[in-house]
Amino acid sequence: MKTSMIAESFLRHEPADGSPPHLVSIQRDPGRAAGVEGTLGSVQLRYHSLQLIPVDLIDELPGIWHALLATVEGFLTDGRATVPYPCLEAEFALESSGSMTKFTAGKVRHIVDAGELVDGILGGAMEYFNFVSGTQDAAMTRIGRLRERAAAAGLFA
C-alpha cells in the first residue's frame, strides 16, 4: 500500500561534552543512533503535511511503540482505543465515527485515513523493533497478527 504516512523513531542523545541534547533518527542515521545510550526518545508520525505526535512527547521509546500497538489493537477490536504513554501524562486515542477516524496524541487531534495510519504505525513499529539489538520476537509476532487483523477488517490489502 502506498501511504502518505511516515513513521520515524528518534533516540535522545545527551552529548558528554555538555552541549544540548538532541534527537537522532533511527531511520535517517542508524549508525549514529546505534551509539546512543538509553531508550529515551520519541516517535514521529507525519500524515501528509500534518505532524500527528507532538515533538515534545519524549518518553521510553519501546513503551511508546507498545502503546501505539495497543492503540491499534484496541481500535481493531472495538473501533476505539485510548492508551497512556509509558511515563508521561499523555495518551494516544484512536476512534472511528462513520467514515472519519480521529487520532489523538497528547492534546493534538487529527482526522486520518484509518488504513494509512494503522499501516504506518505497524511499519514504523517493525522498523524500530528490527533496529533494537536482540530480536524482539514477541513484538514482531504481535505486529504480524495486527497486520492480519487489519487486512481482515479491510483496512489494507
Side-chain angles (χ1 to χ4, degrees), residues 59-64 67 84-88 90 92:
D59 205 332
E60 290 297 321
L61 196 50
I64 295 171
Y85 260 75
C87 301
L88 297 175
F92 293 112

Side-chain angles (χ1 to χ4, degrees), residues 31 33 35-36 46 51 61 66 72 80 84 87-90 92 99 102 109 112-113 116 154:
V36 174
R46 289 182 299 282
Q51 186 75 24
L61 196 50
H66 283 294
V72 168
R80 67 178 51 205
C87 301
L88 297 175
E89 289 190 31
F92 293 112
S99 63
K102 291 181 264 185
R109 178 180 296 171
V112 297
D113 176 272
E116 287 185 87

Side-chain angles (χ1 to χ4, degrees), residues 52 54 57 89-91 103-110:
L52 299 183
L57 292 179
E89 289 190 31
E91 59 191 18
F103 177 76
T104 305
K107 295 179 181 178
V108 175
R109 178 180 296 171
H110 292 286

